[in-house]
Amino acid sequence: MAGNTGRRRRPTPWQWLRYSVGGALPEELSEWVLHDTTCRSWALRQVVRSVLVISPLIVVLLVFIPGPFWIRALSALGGLLMSLLYSLGYLVETAEHRLVKAGYPAGTGAAVRESRAVDHHSAATAHRREKMFRRMDNRRR
């Protein structure tokens, strides 16, 4: 990106809302989409988006539909749980679709997440090995 000052560009609130319901973002935000779908909290981000997308329907159900509140509340809860079930069931596919819309080849998200997991595992293993050798050196003394 031209003029990048080291900070990743983020979508505006309106762009983010559109992105949350499945819309594409401008090309200059493709780096943010990659971050959004591959960072440590990518799954949590998707779940939060799903809850935010269904929340207006839940509000309408709770406020405007006549009937006993407990029935409306259980209906809202059932809708929320079904939404989360589908959201979690298609978590990886949704993230990959977002990346493809941002211009990345299919499989990019899984590859980046796998690479980061391997790097994290290697670093953790090296740290444990170093700690073990320090303990062994301390015992010899």
Side-chain angles (χ1 to χ4, degrees):
M1 282 191 290
N4 189 357
T5 60
R7 289 180 43 99
R8 181 181 299 111
R9 270 202 63 208
R10 298 179 50 87
T12 65
W14 291 114
Q15 288 173 325
W16 185 85
L17 281 173
R18 194 167 135 239
Y19 173 76
S20 293
V21 295
L25 289 174
E27 186 179 326
E28 60 267 11
L29 292 172
S30 62
E31 184 181 330
W32 182 84
V33 175
L34 180 64
H35 168 75
D36 181 59
T37 56
T38 60
C39 68
R40 256 187 346 177
S41 61
W42 74 276
L44 178 62
R45 288 167 174 251
Q46 178 60 32
V47 169
V48 168
R49 268 194 296 274
S50 296
V51 169
L52 288 176
V53 166
I54 197 169
S55 62
L57 298 173
I58 291 173
V59 169
V60 167
L61 178 66
L62 291 174
V63 175
F64 297 111
I65 304 296
F69 182 77
W70 69 272
I71 292 176
R72 292 180 287 154
L74 284 177
S75 298
L77 179 62
L80 177 64
L81 292 176
M82 287 304 296
S83 171
L84 290 174
L85 179 71
Y86 278 99
S87 175
L88 292 171
Y90 292 100
L91 194 66
V92 174
E93 291 84 358
T94 302
E96 288 298 331
H97 184 67
R98 289 179 191 281
L99 284 167
V100 168
K101 283 197 290 188
Y104 292 96
T108 299
V112 170
R113 286 188 298 272
E114 177 69 23
S115 172
R116 288 183 182 164
V118 167
D119 292 346
H120 176 73
H121 179 71
S122 297
T125 301
H127 177 71
R128 284 192 305 272
R129 187 173 291 134
E130 181 181 315
K131 195 171 161 182
M132 179 184 71
F133 287 138
R134 271 196 312 251
R135 268 190 265 140
M136 289 172 61
D137 283 345
N138 287 341
R139 286 182 186 164
R140 288 185 199 161
R141 293 179 191 175

